[in-house]
Amino acid sequence: MKKIFLWVATALFAFSCSEEPVATVVVKNPTSLNRNDEVVEVAMSDIATKLKLNGTEKLVVLNENGKQVAYQITHDQKLIFPAHVSANGTATYTIQPGTPDEFKTRAYGRRYPERVDDIAWENDKVAFRTYGPALQATGEMAFGYDVWTKSVPDMVVEERYATELNPETLARIDSLKKTNPVAAAELRHSTSYHVDHGNGLDCYKVGPTLGEGTAALYIDDEIIYPYCYVTENILDNGPLRFKVELTYNPLTVRGEENVVETRVITLDAGSHMNKTVVSYTNTPADAQVVTGIVLHEPEDEIEVVADATAGYMTYVDPTETPDIDNGKIYVGAAFPAPVKEVKPVMFGEEEAKDRVGANGHLLAISEYVPGSEYVYYWGSGWSKHIFNNSQQWNNYARDFAVKVQNPLTVTVK
């Protein structure tokens, strides 16, 4: 009996010593909302310590059912993955050495020099773009973020640009204009990203406004409009997170051209909202900052929600071509820190002449401490995908504000 006991004990000891080390990640939800497909972060240094990594191992992330979960290691050495945590609940994930499965890309973007330096990015829900130095060099005024609608989870932006800008197609259109204008128009219609070919389209008008959710300095009750970015640095590019850092030409504030803006925009898989961190150098002590949404209707026709206390705002945009059945674009912003005021500010008669079809902005106004970071979220939905009506979008924005004000807590054990 002693020999048998010793053999069993030795076998169990050997088995326990051969087990691979694991890192247990506990995600807690402090809210009464279900938190589904929300990307969380874990420092790679914590994982390396728990797993005794030497830097060459492949890893897997497993949920409570032992099923692999997609992950990404970011430029700043964080392991990110989508978590699902029930209301006021806890979810546990395991990270260990292993061969990861292949997962679909759910976030991607790049600069498009072939389209005057646009930076366009998307995830499995939404798509956006901002404008670059080549566009500014043309003299066209476009200050804000643009919204592209989507109705599929696939990455579509690359294909849209390729189809819209195909040199052979463009040459054919130019040729047809001389001999058969109707055929030229039909070919342009069949290849334009301003037409829904089954996955969404570009039907949002920006012009010389803040577009959807752009931040700007607000000094002496005046918006100091930013122009196009000067430099860009894409920090992360999928499969779960797109992140880009942008810098801008100096802004002229009270007659001096000395305020420089930097933005960092992050879009995670599964979210309709971008996180944006804005900072300025050399701002006056009394500077404020606004987040703006362009309004494309008179004040008595706009459908807005403005709730500074809850920290969110929304607007139902009629689209650039409301006479065509392109649905409605739902836009909005959410704020993790208190907002001083949220209100529609309509253009005066003279300013409206310069804003080309825009009637004003929905503005969230906040104090700005010189040298600090202004953090907020902005994004969109579409009446032809996921959101059947404006109330659903308002609920999403309201709940999103609750979530950013009460983030998930992540602990590595």
Side-chain angles (χ1 to χ4, degrees):
M1 290 296 294
K2 289 184 178 180
K3 290 184 179 180
I4 294 174
F5 174 78
L6 288 173
W7 181 86
V8 172
T10 302
L12 289 172
F13 177 76
F15 176 76
S16 65
C17 290
S18 66
E19 286 185 334
E20 293 281 1
V22 300
T24 300
V25 180
V26 179
V27 185
K28 292 186 177 181
N29 177 4
T31 72
S32 59
L33 300 169
N34 290 325
R35 311 287 281 265
N36 293 318
D37 205 23
E38 188 169 331
V39 171
V40 297
E41 303 177 346
V42 181
M44 275 301 297
S45 57
D46 292 343
I47 300 301
T49 299
K50 290 290 183 181
L51 300 185
K52 299 179 174 57
L53 300 179
N54 60 26
T56 61
E57 299 91 341
K58 294 182 179 180
L59 301 175
V60 295
V61 179
L62 305 175
N63 63 18
E64 291 171 322
N65 297 321
K67 185 177 179 180
Q68 281 202 32
V69 175
Y71 72 90
Q72 176 182 338
I73 298 175
T74 65
H75 78 285
D76 51 355
Q77 291 301 295
K78 294 176 182 176
L79 187 149
I80 64 174
F81 63 91
H84 296 262
V85 195
S86 59
N88 299 120
T90 299
T92 302
Y93 294 83
T94 301
I95 303 175
Q96 63 189 46
T99 302
D101 293 338
E102 290 188 12
F103 292 93
K104 291 183 65 173
T105 295
R106 298 179 63 197
Y108 173 79
R110 74 170 176 92
R111 181 173 69 91
Y112 289 85
E114 64 269 38
R115 224 307 296 195
V116 289
D117 290 334
D118 288 354
I119 292 179
W121 66 100
E122 63 182 314
N123 66 8
D124 49 332
K125 305 291 186 183
V126 285
F128 308 95
R129 71 171 164 181
T130 194
Y131 302 108
L135 180 72
Q136 184 169 340
T138 70
E140 181 178 343
M141 308 293 276
F143 303 138
Y145 299 125
D146 191 17
V147 175
W148 283 12
T149 66
K150 283 184 64 170
S151 58
V152 295
D154 306 314
M155 302 296 99
V156 299
V157 167
E158 191 77 13
E159 180 183 359
R160 288 188 192 178
Y161 272 111
T163 304
E164 173 83 11
L165 303 175
N166 182 284
E168 293 181 1
T169 302
L170 295 178
R172 178 62 176 160
I173 291 171
D174 285 341
S175 176
L176 284 170
K177 284 179 180 179
K178 302 171 185 177
T179 61
N180 190 340
V182 173
E186 290 176 349
L187 181 56
R188 177 70 288 179
H189 185 275
S190 69
T191 56
S192 173
Y193 56 46
H194 294 284
V195 177
D196 185 1
H197 301 294
N199 60 31
L201 73 158
D202 173 19
C203 57
Y204 184 77
K205 186 173 181 59
V206 178
T209 74
L210 295 177
E212 157 45 357
T214 307
L217 286 176
Y218 195 58
I219 298 175
D220 303 326
D221 294 326
E222 180 183 353
I223 295 173
I224 310 298
Y225 286 94
Y227 212 157
C228 302
Y229 74 85
V230 177
T231 65
E232 48 81 21
N233 181 19
I234 293 178
L235 303 173
D236 295 306
N237 206 359
L240 296 175
R241 171 173 291 174
F242 172 83
K243 187 172 187 176
V244 62
E245 181 181 57
L246 306 173
T247 59
Y248 289 77
N249 281 312
L251 298 167
T252 300
V253 177
R254 292 177 177 154
E256 295 189 29
E257 192 180 74
N258 62 349
V259 177
V260 177
E261 176 186 352
T262 301
R263 295 181 206 169
V264 179
I265 304 168
T266 304
L267 179 64
D268 284 343
S271 179
H272 287 263
M273 296 283 195
N274 298 270
K275 177 182 180 181
T276 300
V277 181
V278 180
S279 58
Y280 301 94
T281 62
N282 302 317
T283 55
D286 62 344
Q288 295 180 310
V289 64
V290 294
T291 295
I293 295 173
V294 63
L295 302 172
H296 286 123
E297 299 156 303
E299 187 170 13
D300 60 351
E301 296 180 18
I302 59 176
E303 185 179 343
V304 302
V305 171
D307 194 328
T309 302
Y312 75 100
M313 63 183 186
T314 65
Y315 169 56
V316 180
D317 192 279
T319 79
E320 188 173 12
T321 51
D323 54 323
I324 299 174
D325 185 21
N326 284 329
K328 303 287 186 181
I329 299 176
Y330 302 128
V331 292
F335 307 92
V339 177
K340 178 181 177 182
E341 186 178 11
V342 181
K343 63 181 180 180
V345 178
M346 310 310 290
F347 297 141
E349 185 176 346
E350 288 302 313
E351 186 176 9
K353 293 178 182 178
D354 297 329
R355 301 300 163 199
V356 192
N359 296 78
H361 287 106
L362 179 60
L363 294 180
I365 305 170
S366 300
E367 302 294 345
Y368 180 73
V369 177
S372 67
E373 293 182 336
Y374 172 64
V375 182
Y376 71 104
Y377 296 77
W378 60 275
S380 66
W382 191 27
S383 63
K384 290 194 170 188
H385 185 59
I386 298 176
F387 299 98
N388 295 320
N389 53 61
S390 59
Q391 188 57 55
Q392 290 181 353
W393 172 248
N394 293 338
N395 292 344
Y396 178 89
R398 178 202 62 203
D399 292 350
F400 195 92
V402 171
K403 292 174 183 178
V404 298
Q405 293 162 15
N406 301 275
L408 298 171
T409 61
V410 182
T411 306
V412 180
K413 296 183 177 180

